[in-house]
Amino acid sequence: MEEELSQIIEECRTAVEDPEYPAVHQWLEANPDGKVLGHFQVYFPEEIAHAAGMLPLKMMGFDSSVQIREADAHIAAFVCSILRTSLEQALSGRLDFLSMYVTHPICDAARHLTGVWTRRFPEMNCQILYLPQNATSPHAPTYLLGEYRRIAGIVEEITGAPISDESLRTSIEIFNENRRLLRELYRIKRETPWQIGLTDSYLLMAAAGAMPRERHNELLEVALPLIRARDNRPQDKLRIVFEGGYCEQPPIEMLSVLQDVAYVVDDDFMIGLRWLTEDVSTSGDPMQNLAVAYLEASSYSPVQRDPRKPKEDMLQERIRESGAEAAIVAAPKMCEPALEEQVAYDDALTAAGLPHLIMEFEEKTTNFEQARMEIETFAESLLFEFA
Amino acid sequence: METQQVAIRPTLSHAGDTRAASRVLMDNWWKQLGEADATASPVANTFVMGSLAEVLNTFDLPMSFPEVAALQTAVKGKSMDYLLAAEDLGYSPDICGYVKVDIGLHATGRDHPLGKYPKPGMVIASNMCNTYIKWAEFWERQYGCPVFVLDLPGWRGTGFEYDSSSETFRNDVKYVEGQIRDLISLAAEVSGKKFDIDKLREILGNVNRMSELYRSILAMNKNKPAPFNALTEGINYMGIANILRGRPEGVEFMETVLTELEERVAHGVGAVPDERFRLLLVGTACYTNFREFVGMFERWDGIFVASEYMSYAGGGIDRGLNYDLSRPIESLAEQILITTQPSMSGIFFSHEWQAKVAEEYDIDGICYHGVKSCRTTAAGLPDAREWLLNNAGVPGLFIQSDLVDSRLWAPAQMRNRIDAFFESLQSRRIQAGV
Ligand code: SF4
Ligand code: SF4
């Protein structure tokens, strides 16, 4: 049982961490005419690509296993690391299999990535998908539907496969299933965090963006009952929420430092995979349902403006709902949106009397000692306080 | 002994008109903001890219442009005081300095070196810079004022052009028009005034005229020598174009500028006495050490004949706004899209524009100035530089500092790079036998 679980986790680890994208190559071998669509963080309606038979691949950055050789000559030094590793992957030829690349205007630095990409890869179809930033405008849903249709049109051109309502419904069902499984994984983290460590739960989750979703569903279908069936004992660890992983990801070693010290009962790692919080309806116009879900039944992040979801309130809700005792409010180095949000989070959590640690991280860090010290000191001070 | 040639500059009857006019207009602007603060009348905070001054002016809402105000603190040598005050509150050294200057100003009693800095009564933040939205959220939290995010769908990819009959264009226009109508309701509520469509028409007419004049002003620099420096004088033109967009004083100012420049051209007077190198500036200047920065180019008789800043930070006014006054709101939506898209979201794909400008203005080289504060303008510059060199044969210089953070100003290093660049331009000339 444990062996089966570790095999699953290993498969996920390879898909997420291997900069050669083995899961994609495997898919391409099985689908020699298949096309791959790369999309940068945070949210992309992957169902649209899937419905035309494309493989959507999430650009999630890499840790120190990817050496920056060329990217720095193309992008200014004061940008975050995920932009640089993603560009490096492209410049090194490892992403040559992409037929289409989409970014979103999530931040000012990421918008430039499309420009760079366009100049470097004139043969690739590079697009910006403008997700609405005036989310409460009564015109936003229609506008977003138009954007989805535009992207769908390009996907159809590239694949030669029309996206019918039927094929889109089938894709939505597959992705609904995936989101349901991910919600289940997060329920385990919340209710019985001793059943699975943070690094394993992270890999199980993140792999969704790095392999065909059908395969990911299969893996989670097997893994979740195995995790539930474990007989681990709860330890006296602090329950915390990790905030700040919506785009660039901390390296696995840093997660391992965290899991040594605390139970991370909820987080926003790779939030785009879990952006839609409910099943997307398959009745009626499926494209419209996807657009409405983005606006009406979705999570939050520093890169989406929606006055109905004040971020500091949302974070407190996340803390409350997961029964956490404290939060780590992190930001990737040089990440403008996350760094700007930190002060508001800090103020709100302080006012609410919620203990929290403000910190920065970088996917390429190799020295974890400082992070360990910070986190340990924070946790110890609280354990002492709660004792 | 070498004989030194002294250029005798003719006396020009319009010399100094622009400078005098802009001083008065800027003073008036600060006075207006101060009065609004004293009388607690609502002020609209808005940004240079996507300001919708057209709507705000219809309701006579005084407009505060926090970017202009932040820039001015740097020119006055005060930005670090505010910036450090914001960092004391926990704001990171790695975020936009304009935001921090503003936060510092609000935290320290709103005393700007040029006048009283009012509280916002409402905010318009376009998505042309994502940081605008974060910045607006700061005021929202601090003052509880309404924030209107104007979402302008931008360029989808390189060479993106609007075919006004395309579905994408119609979709975008509908969205923007809807938002403009919502904004009109909000501005009416905040100002307590009724919407007057004829007044909007009048303002749009003024913007049309300003845009026409602004374009003529830019085109003046196709002359040799170029009559104005886009880096120093240009920023002034652009500042007024923003704060007085749509107002008769704005039109008059542009007329004054044009008259002065026409006279310079007629007399062969250039912005630098002996123009030798014609440059395009991509990115912004460094305002904490502005004179020094400018001097590093002028000592080589280099003149910035064009600047990307005068395009995107002019709110699309350089692209030829041409509002149809018979259907003001619809036309406002269309024109805002048609002009802001290439000028603002085109920043990310601006290589083609740069190549075009380099040709039209007979540019010798491009200066890419990356500022840490502003990823919006700076993140992709190294790549654009390489593209221009390889695809258009235009050499580029990449330097870095900041807008308002003097800690990032490293003059010796910068001077070396600039000197080396001019030397290379010089040897190119010699090789080309020019
Ligand atoms: S980590 Fe932050 S700065 Fe970097 S791409 Fe993501 S949102 Fe932008
Ligand atoms: S990031 Fe640049 S464009 Fe945006 S507010 Fe700051 S200085 Fe202005």
Side-chain angles (χ1 to χ4, degrees):
Chain A
M1 177 172 129
E2 276 303 308
E3 201 180 313
E4 194 175 5
L5 194 53
S6 31
Q7 270 170 11
I8 291 173
I9 290 167
E10 265 327 289
E11 187 175 337
C12 291
R13 181 191 301 279
T14 316
V16 170
E17 290 200 318
D18 189 331
E20 299 294 341
Y21 306 99
V24 176
H25 286 289
Q26 224 174 327
W27 183 82
L28 282 169
E29 268 163 40
N31 302 274
D33 296 326
K35 308 267 189 235
V36 187
L37 179 153
H39 56 94
F40 194 72
Q41 299 272 35
V42 171
Y43 173 77
F44 177 75
E46 293 174 287
E47 288 90 333
I48 293 175
H50 185 270
M54 267 184 130
L55 177 69
L57 173 70
K58 196 167 186 62
M59 305 280 118
M60 50 181 93
F62 284 92
D63 61 13
S64 53
S65 60
V66 170
Q67 295 286 320
I68 302 293
R69 294 202 169 90
E70 292 183 61
D72 281 355
H74 296 274
I75 199 143
F78 38 76
V79 301
C80 64
S81 187
I82 183 172
L83 286 174
R84 290 188 279 142
T85 49
S86 302
L87 183 59
E88 185 65 35
Q89 286 293 84
L91 293 172
S92 68
R94 284 178 173 145
L95 285 168
D96 281 356
F97 52 68
L98 291 184
S99 302
M100 184 172 173
Y101 171 71
V102 186
T103 51
H104 319 282
I106 52 166
C107 69
D108 304 322
R111 291 192 291 184
H112 275 281
L113 195 60
T114 321
V116 177
W117 209 286
T118 306
R119 286 187 285 270
R120 294 300 128 199
F121 311 104
E123 304 304 315
M124 201 186 291
N125 195 313
C126 301
Q127 291 291 321
I128 298 187
L129 164 63
Y130 281 87
L131 296 164
Q133 279 290 36
N134 188 345
T136 45
S137 159
H139 316 280
T142 320
Y143 162 72
L144 182 57
L145 177 61
E147 269 299 86
Y148 282 4
R149 292 228 162 97
R150 180 178 70 81
I151 291 290
I154 299 167
V155 166
E156 284 175 333
E157 245 172 64
I158 289 174
T159 56
I163 301 173
S164 65
D165 281 359
E166 238 3 87
S167 62
L168 190 55
R169 280 191 192 108
T170 309
S171 300
I172 289 176
E173 270 160 17
I174 291 168
F175 282 75
N176 273 346
E177 172 68 359
N178 192 250
R179 286 184 284 260
R180 191 188 61 73
L181 290 162
L182 289 175
R183 286 200 296 271
E184 186 59 25
L185 174 65
Y186 271 71
R187 186 170 305 128
I188 297 176
K189 275 164 65 110
R190 266 198 317 274
E191 291 170 0
T192 51
W194 45 89
Q195 296 288 52
I196 180 151
L198 179 61
T199 55
D200 288 353
S201 70
Y202 174 81
L203 291 167
L204 280 173
M205 178 274 297
M211 61 170 63
R213 213 50 68 97
E214 292 84 344
R215 177 65 186 153
H216 191 246
N217 282 350
E218 278 168 21
L219 295 180
L220 286 191
E221 297 276 10
V222 179
L224 295 181
L226 294 177
I227 298 167
R228 279 233 181 267
R230 275 173 164 170
D231 195 17
N232 293 353
R233 282 184 182 207
Q235 289 176 342
D236 187 19
K237 279 187 184 173
L238 190 67
R239 293 171 62 95
I240 60 165
V241 155
F242 184 97
E243 186 82 12
Y246 65 96
C247 186
E248 182 169 322
Q249 306 296 297
I252 290 284
E253 286 86 340
M254 186 173 146
L255 301 186
S256 135
V257 169
L258 264 172
Q259 79 182 359
D260 288 348
V261 179
Y263 287 134
V264 176
V265 287
D266 203 356
D267 56 61
D268 64 344
F269 295 131
M270 216 79 84
I271 195 68
L273 293 172
R274 300 174 284 127
W275 183 258
L276 307 185
T277 50
E278 293 166 12
D279 281 357
V280 179
S281 163
T282 47
S283 61
D285 178 345
M287 193 83 80
Q288 183 165 6
N289 297 345
L290 268 178
V292 170
Y294 172 83
L295 293 162
E296 301 301 327
S298 50
S299 187
Y300 68 99
S301 89
V303 296
Q304 192 215 23
R305 159 82 184 168
D306 186 338
R308 296 168 302 183
K309 299 188 280 191
K311 278 148 294 235
E312 53 273 51
D313 296 355
M314 298 301 287
L315 171 57
Q316 287 180 67
E317 204 176 303
R318 180 173 273 158
I319 295 172
R320 248 192 334 268
E321 284 184 355
S322 59
E325 296 148 310
I328 291 187
V329 179
K333 270 201 190 335
M334 298 289 173
C335 169
E336 178 119 27
L339 288 168
E340 268 156 1
E341 217 62 64
Q342 270 186 328
V343 178
Y345 282 152
D346 186 17
D347 290 348
L349 296 186
T350 305
L354 282 163
H356 57 283
L357 170 68
I358 304 278
M359 65 182 295
E360 287 183 30
F361 67 86
E362 192 179 9
E363 59 178 17
K364 302 190 73 57
T365 319
T366 47
N367 179 354
F368 302 98
E369 279 324 296
Q370 198 193 332
R372 179 178 291 278
M373 217 169 63
E374 273 180 66
I375 296 166
E376 275 177 359
T377 314
F378 173 64
E380 274 161 22
S381 71
L382 290 182
L383 282 178
F384 183 68
E385 194 177 296
F386 294 153
Chain B
M1 206 177 100
E2 234 178 82
T3 41
Q4 259 202 327
Q5 292 219 331
V6 181
I8 313 278
R9 295 177 76 112
T11 324
L12 304 179
S13 57
H14 293 291
D17 287 1
T18 303
R19 183 186 284 257
S22 81
R23 193 163 292 159
V24 171
L25 294 172
M26 244 334 144
D27 284 352
N28 288 348
W29 181 55
W30 275 102
K31 235 181 258 159
Q32 190 195 20
L33 293 181
E35 275 161 21
D37 183 71
T39 54
S41 341
V43 169
N45 279 17
T46 191
F47 296 93
V48 297
M49 305 198 281
S51 70
L52 277 195
E54 289 85 342
V55 172
L56 298 172
N57 271 325
T58 305
F59 291 93
D60 292 320
L61 275 161
M63 293 178 290
S64 172
F65 283 88
E67 293 154 291
V68 179
L71 184 159
Q72 288 171 326
T73 66
V75 176
K76 294 275 165 201
K78 288 295 222 182
S79 54
M80 287 312 288
D81 299 355
Y82 305 117
L83 206 136
L84 293 172
E87 288 184 7
D88 282 347
L89 292 171
Y91 288 91
S92 159
D94 297 324
I95 64 166
C96 166
Y98 274 7
V99 176
K100 279 186 292 186
V101 164
D102 181 83
I103 290 174
L105 263 163
H106 283 278
T108 55
R110 296 183 284 110
D111 292 317
H112 187 281
L114 294 174
K116 194 73 183 177
Y117 198 47
K119 291 179 197 165
M122 69 178 281
V123 180
I124 300 183
S126 82
N127 62 326
M128 291 289 99
C129 168
N130 285 287
T131 304
Y132 288 170
I133 302 172
K134 297 277 160 207
W135 196 342
E137 286 177 349
F138 160 76
W139 298 313
E140 186 179 44
R141 285 170 181 131
Q142 169 116 348
Y143 299 112
C145 54
V147 166
F148 187 89
V149 169
L150 172 68
D151 191 13
L152 297 171
W155 255 7
R156 281 20 182 239
T158 188
F160 180 77
E161 274 195 26
Y162 263 145
D163 162 7
S164 53
S165 61
S166 78
E167 223 180 302
T168 304
F169 186 67
R170 297 317 322 161
N171 191 37
D172 287 358
V173 168
K174 246 173 55 208
Y175 183 38
V176 174
E177 190 188 320
Q179 293 181 81
I180 290 173
R181 289 185 192 278
D182 294 343
L183 176 67
I184 288 174
S185 310
L186 176 64
E189 203 178 293
V190 171
S191 66
K193 289 191 176 158
K194 266 191 136 143
F195 175 58
D196 175 353
I197 197 152
D198 290 325
K199 190 160 179 189
L200 174 64
R201 263 193 200 107
E202 196 184 309
I203 289 162
L204 296 184
N206 289 338
V207 177
N208 284 347
R209 182 77 188 117
M210 275 178 88
S211 174
E212 204 182 310
L213 289 161
Y214 194 84
R215 282 161 70 82
S216 304
I217 291 168
L218 293 177
M220 281 282 121
N221 264 3
K222 290 183 183 168
N223 288 291
K224 287 184 183 174
F228 75 92
N229 191 337
L231 180 57
T232 49
E233 296 166 280
I235 197 139
N236 212 3
Y237 309 161
M238 200 199 65
I240 303 286
N242 277 305
I243 64 171
L244 292 172
R245 183 173 167 125
R247 303 189 64 106
E249 309 93 288
V251 179
E252 271 166 41
F253 174 78
M254 293 302 158
E255 280 164 351
T256 306
V257 176
L258 191 58
T259 308
E260 187 172 345
L261 295 181
E262 278 168 348
E263 191 184 35
R264 285 189 199 170
V265 170
H267 290 83
V269 172
V272 294
D274 285 301
E275 174 180 305
R276 274 210 299 153
F277 297 108
R278 295 168 66 83
L279 307 167
L280 161 65
L281 175 71
V282 176
T284 61
C286 168
Y287 299 114
T288 46
N289 301 70
F290 197 32
R291 278 304 336 153
E292 213 182 333
F293 183 78
V294 175
M296 288 182 188
F297 297 91
E298 284 187 348
R299 63 196 280 265
W300 283 90
D301 299 320
I303 162 91
F304 286 98
V305 297
S307 137
E308 201 187 28
Y309 200 41
M310 284 190 76
S311 171
Y312 57 77
I317 201 160
D318 65 308
R319 307 283 166 147
L321 281 157
N322 192 7
Y323 295 124
D324 176 353
L325 307 188
S326 67
R327 36 183 210 107
I329 299 178
E330 298 81 350
S331 180
L332 181 56
E334 288 165 7
Q335 290 286 306
I336 289 247
L337 275 167
I338 290 170
T339 56
T340 56
Q341 283 193 330
S343 68
M344 297 165 192
S345 69
I347 293 172
F348 316 113
F349 312 101
S350 66
H351 49 286
E352 283 157 1
W353 177 85
Q354 289 167 27
K356 191 167 149 258
V357 170
E359 203 184 315
E360 284 177 1
Y361 286 75
D362 196 14
I363 273 160
D364 298 299
I366 305 181
C367 169
Y368 295 89
H369 182 221
V371 290
K372 184 180 171 192
S373 267
C374 185
R375 275 106 180 165
T376 296
T377 59
L381 297 189
D383 184 70
R385 179 190 161 275
E386 199 186 297
W387 192 95
L388 262 288
L389 182 65
N390 297 334
N391 297 275
V394 189
L397 158 76
F398 181 66
I399 46 176
Q400 291 189 75
S401 72
D402 197 60
L403 298 162
V404 288
D405 189 340
S406 58
R407 292 169 296 189
L408 299 166
W409 174 249
Q413 200 187 348
M414 188 168 279
R415 185 187 302 265
N416 284 343
R417 302 199 61 167
I418 292 172
D419 288 352
F421 180 62
F422 278 111
E423 276 159 18
S424 75
L425 290 184
Q426 204 157 257
S427 34
R428 263 172 90 100
R429 271 206 186 147
I430 294 167
Q431 274 166 20
V434 186

